[in-house]
Amino acid sequence: FGVALHNLYGPTEATVDVTWQPCSPWTGGAIVPIGRPIANTTVYILDGHGSPTPIGVTGEIHLGGPQLARGYVNRPALTRERFIPNPFAEGGRLYRTGDLGRWRSDGTIEYHGRLDSQVKLRGFRIELEEIEHALNSHPAIAASAVVFLRDERGDGIIVACVRPLAEPPAAATLREWLGHRLPDYMVPRRYVTLSALPVTSNGKLDREGLAASLPPPVAADTIGDPPHDGVEQQVADVFGAVFGRPINDRDASFLDLGGHSLLAIKVVNRIARATGVRLSMRDFFAAPTVAALATLVKAGGAAGDGISRVPDAPVYSVSHAQARLYLASRMDGAVEGTGTAYNMTFALPHGGSLDLDAFRSALRQLSARHETLRTSFIEEDGCILQRVATESDVLLMVDDLSALPDPHAECLRLARREAATPFDLATAPLMRARAIRLAVRNGEDWLVLLVLHHIVGDGWSSRVVLRELDHLYRAASGGTPARLPDLPIAYRDFSAWHNRRDWTASVAHWRSVLAGAPDRVALPTDRPMPAVPVHRGDTITRILPTTLSEALTTYARRCGTTGAPLGLALFAGLLYRLTRQGDLVIGLGVAGRDRTEVEGLIGFFVNILPVRIRIDDDTEFEPLVEQIHATVLDAMDHRDCPFDLLVRAIAPRRAANGQPLVNVGYEYNRFEDFDEIGGDASVFGESRPVDPAFGRALEEAIRTPTAKHDLLLFLIERTRGWQFQLEYDTDLFDRATAERWLGYLEQFAATVVSQQASRWPPQDPDCSVTEGRRR
């Protein structure tokens, strides 16, 4: 009718209107953005850390400008919470709206609901309003409300409350309807039919009142088909044991339950132990539900041989992984006492008094329990052997810095020295501990340092060390007996079993995969490669914003994969942009624990898999993720083949100053049992948060300044989100170069989840990829 229509957005606290968007017929069924800020108004979209979100990544909308209210009358606490200092303009203020939104590439803002109607379930952030909109689109539903409850076990449950127009539809019908419109993790498992939905005095949905009115357990139509037979029950029991809660739904999916690559290994191992059938990783991820996995088990599969105990002897053979690391350590100088490339150092804050006698007892019991902590290494007649001592106490050193004027500075010096002190591999134990008291006023503060040589432990082992030390310490300090399950085997048993296996078929597989592959990734370096490798290195870290981390996790689930292959795809895209090399071989570090017997052992099981990736300018990112997902699963089904055997069999062209077969690496880890310094993990009793500046300095102090590859990317999924760590050879690259590349990686990740146009990271203006800068 010739009338212009504008979409206006704004809260009362900012005099109502703060953004505007002209509407046109072309906005049709698409989401209408709330537009751009009006004059004299600033809008920021910030993540949980107060940092601006990239384009396409959801965050909380913050408003600034002269039109902001002064606060809430007689409510100073709420005023302080919602009206905050503007970190981007000195003396300014921002209003936290509690609304979610994201920037679009055209400079407008897209509204994404309320922060207070957002919940987190199994690692996913879920908008309850989005589920309600999908429910309300059903022709038999007049209105709906979705609430988040917790059952008697503390597990989160999404409950859909519906007011039907007439006859209420069956829950199965609603679930099927939503399944075509929402990701599976957003589909409610329980449904309640109500004659009316509660509202507040101003007519809005009373979500809190609704949740409170539903009795526990919810009187609802529960979706979930229980296991049909004994095999399905066995698989469901494995899921329940791994995820720590009962699983009574044959359609429960490993990915939707929050599974990741490391848990997949545990599930496959335990299914093999329970049923005698070992599934391939490819089959597992192709059919990740209880019912589908049970069908594969019934069809049969490979049944691996068990690991048996070996007789006591003066010395034992080392595993292939230990032999590889022993030789690498000797090249680094660790045997002669000059190298620390393979030191693993952990800093654990502790608030409250530390019972040193109980801590010594815990270390002693841990050493008695795990033979690797009593193991040393020798060479006889050209063979590398391991010797297990009957007794070998882990050394505990104690320092009291509480009387010093600056105890934290001295603590950093001690931590730096501890991390830089080498081990003599011929002398056990290859683990040591130091307890440092920092303060006694207003309660004690301690820092515990643990240093472990990589040859007797890996990333998986660190969880075992901390979990069991915590249990043993609590038992010793409380005067109660420790209750840890018996270990079925020792590391020497694994070594003997590993050495007698036939690797012919695996080696043949890898020969086929790597036929015609390039010798290395031709990275553009800042300096020529030195004639003799020194492996000096450094590491830079980038913690991704919470919203970006969650978006990446959701993207991986949508692609039917986990964070590990997605991170590798992002890394491959970066390497392609830097090198224009369409055939890449990246060394993938894997846990190497494909038997249940070794899950609880402290030991070195890590193997390297040469993953081959093909990419070009026409490669779309999602198909690249699918390619890498399939390639990684194929590699994981041949993950046992020792890397040193593979190198000898393929005999790649070697350079005196370079690593054989792979010069670029990628590793994935997930820390759920403990978090970064300053986190909320509890080890040796109650943990107290560490000052962030001291925590960062401490992380820097215990970092080993070495590089195992020319370039090595770690993707670490923590409770607070994704973290990239880039380890680089400082003889080849400047820090500024590594930081720039890591920035590209984050920008690429944000571009991917926002589904913007660019396939690959930005072209590096300093990387003309001339042959003069390539090695």
Side-chain angles (χ1 to χ4, degrees):
F1 301 99
V3 178
L5 176 65
H6 292 79
N7 186 24
L8 303 179
Y9 160 82
T12 302
E13 291 85 346
T15 60
V16 184
D17 297 333
V18 292
T19 68
W20 68 285
Q21 171 71 27
C23 301
S24 69
W26 290 280
T27 56
I31 296 176
V32 178
I34 59 176
R36 294 175 169 82
I38 64 175
N40 298 320
T41 299
T42 55
V43 177
Y44 299 93
I45 300 180
L46 307 180
D47 62 19
H49 301 287
S51 300
T53 60
I55 292 174
V57 176
T58 302
E60 184 179 1
I61 298 174
H62 291 63
L63 306 176
Q67 78 279 40
L68 290 188
R70 296 173 64 182
Y72 298 101
V73 177
N74 297 326
R75 302 188 69 183
L78 183 60
T79 298
R80 286 192 300 269
E81 177 189 348
R82 308 305 295 183
F83 292 87
I84 62 175
N86 186 344
F88 312 106
E90 187 175 354
R93 293 188 311 145
L94 293 179
Y95 171 64
R96 296 181 52 203
T97 65
D99 290 330
L100 296 170
R102 67 177 184 179
W103 289 106
R104 292 158 53 118
S105 58
D106 62 0
T108 61
I109 300 169
E110 196 173 276
Y111 179 79
H112 275 256
R114 288 286 300 169
L115 188 65
D116 50 20
S117 68
Q118 185 185 80
V119 299
K120 190 168 185 178
L121 180 63
R122 297 192 295 272
F124 296 101
R125 286 205 177 272
I126 297 172
E127 300 293 340
L128 299 181
E129 290 178 345
E130 187 175 351
I131 303 174
E132 291 168 357
H133 291 159
L135 273 171
N136 292 340
S137 67
H138 192 283
I141 300 299
S144 68
V146 178
V147 295
F148 181 75
L149 301 177
R150 293 195 179 274
D151 62 16
E152 63 278 5
R153 296 185 304 269
D155 292 336
I157 300 171
I158 297 177
V159 180
C161 302
V162 298
R163 179 169 66 84
L165 289 170
E167 187 68 21
T173 301
L174 292 177
R175 187 187 184 198
E176 182 180 4
W177 175 270
L178 295 176
H180 293 298
R181 292 159 175 80
L182 299 171
D184 187 67
Y185 63 84
M186 292 181 67
V187 176
R189 299 292 173 180
R190 296 184 178 179
Y191 297 78
V192 176
T193 300
L194 299 174
S195 58
L197 299 177
V199 295
T200 62
S201 57
N202 60 5
K204 294 184 178 180
L205 173 67
D206 184 3
R207 202 182 299 273
E208 291 184 4
L210 176 60
S213 70
L214 298 174
V218 178
D221 182 357
T222 302
I223 294 294
D225 191 4
H228 287 186
D229 55 38
V231 177
E232 289 189 2
Q233 188 62 57
Q234 284 179 307
V235 176
D237 289 344
V238 168
F239 272 34
V242 168
F243 288 105
R245 59 182 184 273
I247 303 298
N248 195 40
D249 184 357
R250 68 191 302 264
D251 296 321
S253 168
F254 173 79
L255 292 176
D256 292 339
L257 290 170
H260 51 81
S261 301
L262 299 179
L263 279 185
I265 297 172
K266 281 190 175 183
V267 172
V268 169
N269 287 349
R270 296 186 184 194
I271 289 177
R273 183 172 64 183
T275 67
V277 175
R278 179 163 294 278
L279 303 174
S280 72
M281 296 301 292
R282 182 184 293 274
D283 287 343
F284 176 81
F285 276 97
T289 66
V290 169
L293 290 172
T295 299
L296 293 176
V297 169
K298 294 170 191 174
D305 58 323
I307 304 176
S308 57
R309 291 276 191 175
V310 299
D312 290 340
V315 293
Y316 307 92
S317 60
V318 296
S319 67
H320 287 278
Q322 284 179 321
R324 182 177 76 246
L325 200 66
Y326 180 90
L327 295 174
S329 296
R330 189 169 66 174
M331 291 177 63
D332 178 58
V335 174
E336 288 76 24
T338 59
T340 58
Y342 296 97
N343 281 9
M344 301 169 61
T345 306
F346 304 96
L348 309 169
H350 171 78
S353 61
L354 183 66
D355 187 335
L356 293 175
D357 290 336
F359 190 18
R360 289 190 181 93
S361 175
L363 289 169
R364 191 178 306 114
Q365 292 179 70
L366 189 73
S367 178
R369 178 174 167 81
H370 293 276
E371 288 188 356
T372 48
L373 301 184
R374 295 179 274 118
T375 298
S376 57
F377 298 85
I378 59 173
E379 291 186 61
E380 289 184 359
D381 301 325
C383 296
I384 307 168
L385 301 171
Q386 57 179 318
R387 175 183 287 129
V388 180
T390 305
E391 293 183 0
S392 179
D393 287 348
V394 175
L395 177 64
L396 173 62
M397 294 164 284
V398 180
D399 303 277
D400 188 348
L401 311 181
S402 59
L404 297 181
D406 189 356
H408 289 84
E410 178 63 13
C411 178
L412 292 175
R413 189 189 69 81
L414 288 174
R416 194 174 297 109
R417 188 181 70 183
E418 198 63 58
T421 300
F423 287 96
D424 178 2
L425 297 188
T427 305
L430 298 179
M431 176 178 167
R432 59 179 179 263
R434 182 181 288 271
I436 304 172
R437 184 157 67 171
L438 296 171
V440 293
R441 299 186 187 91
N442 301 318
E444 293 188 46
D445 273 325
W446 289 79
L447 183 78
V448 174
L449 296 172
L450 295 176
V451 188
L452 183 74
H453 195 282
H454 215 334
I455 201 169
V456 295
D458 50 22
W460 187 303
S461 299
S462 62
R463 293 177 174 81
V464 180
V465 169
L466 297 183
R467 183 175 61 246
E468 294 195 355
L469 264 183
D470 181 56
H471 177 87
L472 294 169
Y473 173 81
R474 289 173 186 267
S477 60
T480 59
R483 301 184 184 278
L484 291 173
D486 293 337
L487 295 173
I489 63 168
Y491 190 90
R492 55 173 161 157
D493 306 317
F494 165 79
S495 298
W497 171 81
H498 207 239
N499 288 326
R500 67 172 179 263
R501 294 183 63 183
D502 183 2
W503 302 107
T504 305
S506 290
V507 169
H509 165 81
W510 285 112
R511 278 182 180 273
S512 174
V513 167
L514 297 173
D519 295 323
R520 60 200 309 103
V521 177
L523 293 165
T525 62
D526 295 310
R527 286 170 293 282
M529 179 180 286
V532 177
V534 183
H535 301 298
R536 283 187 289 258
D538 197 3
T539 302
I540 54 176
T541 299
R542 186 167 294 235
I543 301 174
L544 301 188
T546 303
T547 50
L548 177 55
S549 300
E550 291 164 352
L552 288 167
T553 300
T554 302
Y555 185 93
R557 296 288 193 270
R558 185 166 65 81
C559 293
T561 187
T562 62
L566 176 58
L568 182 54
L570 292 168
F571 191 36
L574 173 67
L575 293 174
Y576 175 68
R577 173 56 81 185
L578 296 176
T579 66
R580 309 301 294 180
Q581 185 174 327
D583 192 355
L584 303 168
V585 177
I586 301 173
L588 174 64
V590 294
R593 297 179 186 245
D594 67 337
R595 292 295 186 275
T596 55
E597 298 97 320
V598 304
E599 284 185 5
L601 288 183
I602 297 172
F604 183 60
F605 296 88
V606 174
N607 197 20
I608 300 174
L609 305 181
V611 175
R612 190 173 185 181
I613 300 168
R614 291 176 171 85
I615 186 173
D616 58 37
D617 283 342
D618 295 325
T619 305
E620 296 287 346
F621 186 74
E622 195 159 325
L624 176 64
V625 175
E626 294 171 357
Q627 175 205 147
I628 290 177
H629 176 73
T631 302
V632 168
L633 292 183
D634 183 63
M636 291 295 287
D637 286 333
H638 298 85
R639 63 187 178 274
D640 285 350
C641 185
F643 184 71
D644 59 318
L645 288 185
L646 185 58
V647 171
R648 290 202 295 269
I650 294 179
R653 185 177 62 185
R654 289 176 179 255
N657 56 359
Q659 306 99 323
L661 207 58
V662 295
N663 67 308
V664 171
Y666 172 79
E667 294 187 17
Y668 167 86
N669 216 326
R670 185 179 179 103
F671 290 132
E672 294 173 309
D673 298 330
F674 60 100
D675 214 319
E676 63 267 38
I677 293 172
D680 54 5
S682 176
V683 182
F684 312 127
E686 295 302 320
S687 176
R688 182 173 297 171
V690 173
D691 174 72
F694 176 62
R696 289 190 293 270
L698 191 53
E699 286 184 333
E700 185 67 29
I702 65 176
R703 184 173 293 149
T704 304
T706 57
K708 303 173 188 67
H709 296 278
D710 294 349
L711 206 64
L712 173 61
L713 178 70
F714 296 89
L715 167 58
I716 302 171
E717 282 197 70
R718 296 187 183 270
T719 55
R720 290 181 175 84
W722 285 33
Q723 178 174 309
F724 288 135
Q725 288 185 351
L726 191 62
E727 180 183 285
Y728 62 98
D729 191 318
T730 54
D731 288 320
L732 301 177
F733 306 104
D734 293 331
R735 185 178 182 87
T737 298
E739 287 177 338
R740 186 171 67 251
W741 291 353
L742 203 54
Y744 291 164
L745 195 62
E746 180 179 356
Q747 184 178 345
F748 186 23
T751 299
V752 164
V753 298
S754 65
Q755 299 180 341
Q756 300 300 316
S758 176
R759 292 189 183 95
W760 311 122
Q763 176 70 51
D764 186 346
D766 296 329
C767 173
S768 56
V769 202
T770 61
E771 292 303 317
R773 291 197 68 207
R774 288 190 183 186
R775 286 184 290 105

